[in-house]
């Protein structure tokens, strides 16, 4: 006998009132055997649609009906959970964020009666669906290896697995997951995809993923909900192959022309102070970083010469972000390491501002720290002073630099917008522009394309390539996607995860 079909979610001719407006009313039905991938460009309304499903907005017209059976509760809050990864440590107190690079304090906090949570404690408290789900998590997602770690000490990939596990343990009927693969290496992406498929097969839980980059593993998902030009369309995944390719090629061509013209203007109209530096931009001599009993970096020697463009590789937890935090002096242990940057040996009297003066830097940590309701041009201007936030009046010369770089990226329309009103992908693009705005000697990009749609990534790759064509510019870039690296890369360094 065929399985009885019921409609879990019925969005009937709905127009919600909120910060984004769709061009047409939305009508979608989610049956009990469906799992969706929601795809669209940055700012297309993906998050707005998900929050509409969560009943976060007043409806101007239409209605949404829910059937959560076999769950006993009819409450939306008991049955739909929304999981987003735009802020890795959002559940932690703001001051604890600094422990990412100050993990030596963990033992002190615990000995003084502090309440630093471990993975085991949080998952046991969250487990409402019985030990079967917890056992599945340990077997399929290797949660067991994380159980005795402090949450604050997890790498980005480890934290992702923990946070998905925590949500599933609450036994929801529908889980909405926003960009679940951000920051994960290929192995972890496959592991998370396998885990989600196992959840779908084994439990009465349905899943909606919202993505800006279509995942490779879509076996357990049945439909694509595609948002384009203010319209929402539902189709079977088998009908969605090569979607939007023609439009993408046109956007890529336009991006190349736009970037080339922008850099030509940069050379004509803007002068940047340059400084004579040694041929060796960066030298690390026998650098080791250890947290507790685990070596993050061990006896690392590395030399980066002027004009080289490095791709930094390594699995989650291999120490890539730690290494960059040493270079940028964000990690307190950097002052006991043998590091020479731009001719200055670390710890010989230079200030942190001297270190950062010639570096443009973007990272997931900066994105998580930058939750400020200020104009976008102020966000970008802060890159000229290496601050989180802007504490000086913007000079006219600063505005000229900001305008030039926003033109290169084709984002001039965002200059006066409130940063927090942008989508995550748009915010990340503004922070990438912030890294470029002083046309630095050394550009360090740690996972710069998180949350960006395909046209935006292609545009950014073109900007990076043009940057590297300038004389004596040096690049260090991290990505877990090989296709993200621009063709200008000349050197590779792969870090190995130590046990």
């Amino acid at each position: 006998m065929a399985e009885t079909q019921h409609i879990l979610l019925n969005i009937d001719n709905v127009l919600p009132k909120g910060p984004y407006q769709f061009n047409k009313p939305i009508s979608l039905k989610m049956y009990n055997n469906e799992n969706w991938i929601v795809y669209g460009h940055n700012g297309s309304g993906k998050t707005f649609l998900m929050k509409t499903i969560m009943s976060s907005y007043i409806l101007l017209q239409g209605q949404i009906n829910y059937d959560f059976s076999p769950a006993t509760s009819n409450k939306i809050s008991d049955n739909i959970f929304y999981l987003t990864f735009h802020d890795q440590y959002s559940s932690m107190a703001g001051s604890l964020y600094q422990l990412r690079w100050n993990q030596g304090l963990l033992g002190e906090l615990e000995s003084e009666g502090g309440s630093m949570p471990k993975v085991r404690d949080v998952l046991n408290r969250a487990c409402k669906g019985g030990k079967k789900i917890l056992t599945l998590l340990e077997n399929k997602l290797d949660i067991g290896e994380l159980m005795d770690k402090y949450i604050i000490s997890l790498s980005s990939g480890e934290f992702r697995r923990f946070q998905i596990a925590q949500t599933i343990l609450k036994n929801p009927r529908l889980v909405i997951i926003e960009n679940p693969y951000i920051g994960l290496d290929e192995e972890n992406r496959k592991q998370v995809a396998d885990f989600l498929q196992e959840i779908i097969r084994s439990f009465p839980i349905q899943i909606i993923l919202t993505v800006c980059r279509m995942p490779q593993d879509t076996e357990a998902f049945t439909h694509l909900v595609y948002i384009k030009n203010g319209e929402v369309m539902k189709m079977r995944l088998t009908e969605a192959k090569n979607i939007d390719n023609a439009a993408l090629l046109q956007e890529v061509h336009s991006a190349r022309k736009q970037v080339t013209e922008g850099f030509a203007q940069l050379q004509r109209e803007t002068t940047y102070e340059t400084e004579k530096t040694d041929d060796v931009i960066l030298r690390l001599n026998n650098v080791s970083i250890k947290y507790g009993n685990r070596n993050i970096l061990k006896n690392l020697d590395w030399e980066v010469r002027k004009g080289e463009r490095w791709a930094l590789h390594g699995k989650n937890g291999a120490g890539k972000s730690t290494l960059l935090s040493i270079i940028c002096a964000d990690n307190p242990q950097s002052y006991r390491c043998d590091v020479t940057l731009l001719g200055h040996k670390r710890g010989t009297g230079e200030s942190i501002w001297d270190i950062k003066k010639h570096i443009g830097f973007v990272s997931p940590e900066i994105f998580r720290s930058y939750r400020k309701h200020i104009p976008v041009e102020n966000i970008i201007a802060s890159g000229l002073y290496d601050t989180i936030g802007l504490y000086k009046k913007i000079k006219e010369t600063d505005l000229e630099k900001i305008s030039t770089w926003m033109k290169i990226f084709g984002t001039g329309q965002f200059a006066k917008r409130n940063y927090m009103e942008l989508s995550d992908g748009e915010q990340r693009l503004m922070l990438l522009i912030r890294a470029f705005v002083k046309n630095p000697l050394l550009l360090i990009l740690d996972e710069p394309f998180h949350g960006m749609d395909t046209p935006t990534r292609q545009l950014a790759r073109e900007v990076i390539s043009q940057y590297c064509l300038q004389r004596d510019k040096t690049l260090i870039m991290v990505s877990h996607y090989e296709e993200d690296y621009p063709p200008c890369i000349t050197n590779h360094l792969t870090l190995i995860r130590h046990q």
Side-chain angles (χ1 to χ4, degrees), residues 10 12 22 51 84-85 90 105 109 164 200 206 280 289 294 319 366 386 413 427 429-430 437 488:
N10 187 2
D12 185 14
F22 292 107
K51 291 187 176 180
T84 178
F85 294 108
S90 58
L105 298 176
L109 284 172
I164 293 174
I200 289 168
Q206 291 174 243
V280 177
I289 299 293
R294 184 177 164 229
I366 288 178
D386 304 301
Q413 72 275 19
Q427 289 176 0
L429 181 59
M430 298 310 115
V437 72
C488 60

Side-chain angles (χ1 to χ4, degrees), residues 193-296:
D194 290 346
F195 166 65
L196 294 176
Q197 291 174 16
E198 189 65 34
I199 286 293
I200 289 168
R201 284 193 293 264
S202 304
F203 302 98
I205 296 174
Q206 291 174 243
I207 294 177
I208 298 176
L209 301 187
T210 70
V211 298
C212 291
R213 187 197 301 252
M214 285 295 291
Q216 291 183 332
D217 297 296
T218 61
E219 180 184 335
F221 293 87
T222 59
H223 290 80
L224 177 75
V225 175
Y226 182 39
I227 306 177
K228 181 180 180 181
N229 299 329
E231 297 184 23
V232 181
M233 298 162 277
K234 179 186 174 186
M235 64 191 76
R236 289 193 171 275
L237 267 178
T238 53
E239 301 169 357
K241 301 297 182 183
N242 300 319
I243 194 167
D244 221 19
N245 270 6
L248 173 59
L249 290 173
Q250 180 60 40
E251 291 183 56
V252 170
H253 176 75
S254 298
R256 289 199 178 109
K257 182 180 179 183
Q258 164 189 317
V259 172
T260 301
E261 291 175 351
F263 267 90
Q265 178 180 332
L266 178 70
Q267 300 303 319
R268 288 194 306 268
E269 300 180 3
T270 311
T271 57
Y272 290 88
E273 293 182 6
T274 58
E275 185 176 288
K276 290 186 177 180
T277 59
D278 294 340
D279 188 51
V280 177
I281 294 290
L282 170 69
R283 181 181 288 115
L284 279 70
N285 181 35
N286 200 32
V287 167
S288 296
I289 299 293
K290 191 172 184 179
Y291 293 134
N293 295 320
R294 184 177 164 229
N295 291 301
I296 307 300

Side-chain angles (χ1 to χ4, degrees), residues 43-63:
S44 63
K46 298 184 297 296
T47 299
F48 184 51
L49 176 60
M50 295 303 100
K51 291 187 176 180
T52 298
I53 291 173
M54 298 282 293
S55 289
S56 299
Y57 297 114
I58 297 171
L59 301 184
L60 298 174
Q61 70 174 59
Q63 61 182 0

Side-chain angles (χ1 to χ4, degrees), residues 146-428:
L146 307 181
M147 285 296 200
D148 292 319
K149 289 189 175 184
Y150 292 103
I151 293 173
I152 198 70
S153 69
L154 300 178
S155 71
S156 57
E158 291 169 338
F159 189 85
R160 191 68 38 79
R161 291 152 57 193
F162 156 75
Q163 199 170 5
I164 293 174
Q166 183 184 16
T167 300
I168 296 298
L169 284 171
K170 296 174 183 177
N171 203 28
R173 186 65 184 82
L174 174 64
V175 181
I176 300 170
I177 307 179
E178 184 175 328
N179 286 319
Y181 303 114
I182 279 182
L184 300 187
D185 58 41
E186 185 175 2
E187 181 180 329
N188 271 292
R189 294 196 299 270
K190 181 69 166 62
Q191 204 169 41
V192 169
D194 290 346
F195 166 65
L196 294 176
Q197 291 174 16
E198 189 65 34
I199 286 293
I200 289 168
R201 284 193 293 264
S202 304
F203 302 98
I205 296 174
Q206 291 174 243
I207 294 177
I208 298 176
L209 301 187
T210 70
V211 298
C212 291
R213 187 197 301 252
M214 285 295 291
Q216 291 183 332
D217 297 296
T218 61
E219 180 184 335
F221 293 87
T222 59
H223 290 80
L224 177 75
V225 175
Y226 182 39
I227 306 177
K228 181 180 180 181
N229 299 329
E231 297 184 23
V232 181
M233 298 162 277
K234 179 186 174 186
M235 64 191 76
R236 289 193 171 275
L237 267 178
T238 53
E239 301 169 357
K241 301 297 182 183
N242 300 319
I243 194 167
D244 221 19
N245 270 6
L248 173 59
L249 290 173
Q250 180 60 40
E251 291 183 56
V252 170
H253 176 75
S254 298
R256 289 199 178 109
K257 182 180 179 183
Q258 164 189 317
V259 172
T260 301
E261 291 175 351
F263 267 90
Q265 178 180 332
L266 178 70
Q267 300 303 319
R268 288 194 306 268
E269 300 180 3
T270 311
T271 57
Y272 290 88
E273 293 182 6
T274 58
E275 185 176 288
K276 290 186 177 180
T277 59
D278 294 340
D279 188 51
V280 177
I281 294 290
L282 170 69
R283 181 181 288 115
L284 279 70
N285 181 35
N286 200 32
V287 167
S288 296
I289 299 293
K290 191 172 184 179
Y291 293 134
N293 295 320
R294 184 177 164 229
N295 291 301
I296 307 300
L297 301 173
K298 188 175 181 180
N299 307 126
L300 176 64
D301 295 315
W302 188 28
E303 186 174 274
V304 176
R305 305 183 75 83
K306 185 185 297 181
E308 292 179 341
R309 283 86 70 182
W310 284 81
L312 181 58
H313 307 277
K315 294 183 178 181
N316 290 127
K320 301 183 299 299
S321 293
T322 299
L323 173 57
L324 299 184
S325 75
I326 295 295
I327 297 171
C328 296
D330 292 326
N331 193 315
Q333 295 194 47
S334 67
Y335 290 94
R336 64 173 182 79
C337 295
D338 188 349
V339 178
T340 300
L341 180 68
L342 297 168
H344 299 285
K345 187 175 176 62
R346 188 66 46 85
T348 55
E350 85 281 23
S351 71
I352 192 170
W353 312 116
D354 293 329
I355 295 169
K356 293 178 180 292
K357 182 178 179 182
H358 297 294
I359 300 176
F361 183 42
V362 69
S363 70
E365 284 74 26
I366 288 178
F367 175 72
R368 289 190 287 266
S369 300
Y370 237 126
R371 316 309 299 162
K372 297 184 181 296
H373 289 273
I374 59 177
V376 164
E377 64 183 6
N378 289 29
I379 296 282
I380 296 172
S382 69
L384 296 165
Y385 305 103
D386 304 301
T387 56
I388 301 297
L390 186 65
Y391 307 101
K392 298 181 179 181
K393 183 178 180 180
I394 304 179
K395 303 175 185 176
E396 190 63 35
T397 53
D398 294 343
L399 287 173
E400 292 173 2
K401 295 175 184 178
I402 293 165
S403 176
T404 297
W405 280 100
M406 293 194 80
K407 181 176 180 180
I408 288 173
F409 279 89
T411 58
Q413 72 275 19
F414 291 114
K416 304 296 182 182
R417 289 275 302 276
N418 184 328
Y419 173 77
M420 292 302 293
E421 292 178 356
L422 305 183
S423 71
D424 279 4
E426 290 167 340
Q427 289 176 0
R428 293 176 190 274

Side-chain angles (χ1 to χ4, degrees), residues 445-474:
L445 306 179
D446 185 2
E447 292 283 4
F449 302 155
H450 277 184
M452 292 185 188
D453 58 39
T454 303
T456 304
R457 292 196 305 273
Q458 295 292 342
L459 168 68
R461 286 178 78 248
E462 190 66 27
V463 174
I464 294 168
S465 296
Q466 289 283 340
Y467 161 87
C468 290
L469 290 177
Q470 298 179 96
R471 183 180 176 183
D472 293 339
K473 300 297 186 182
T474 305

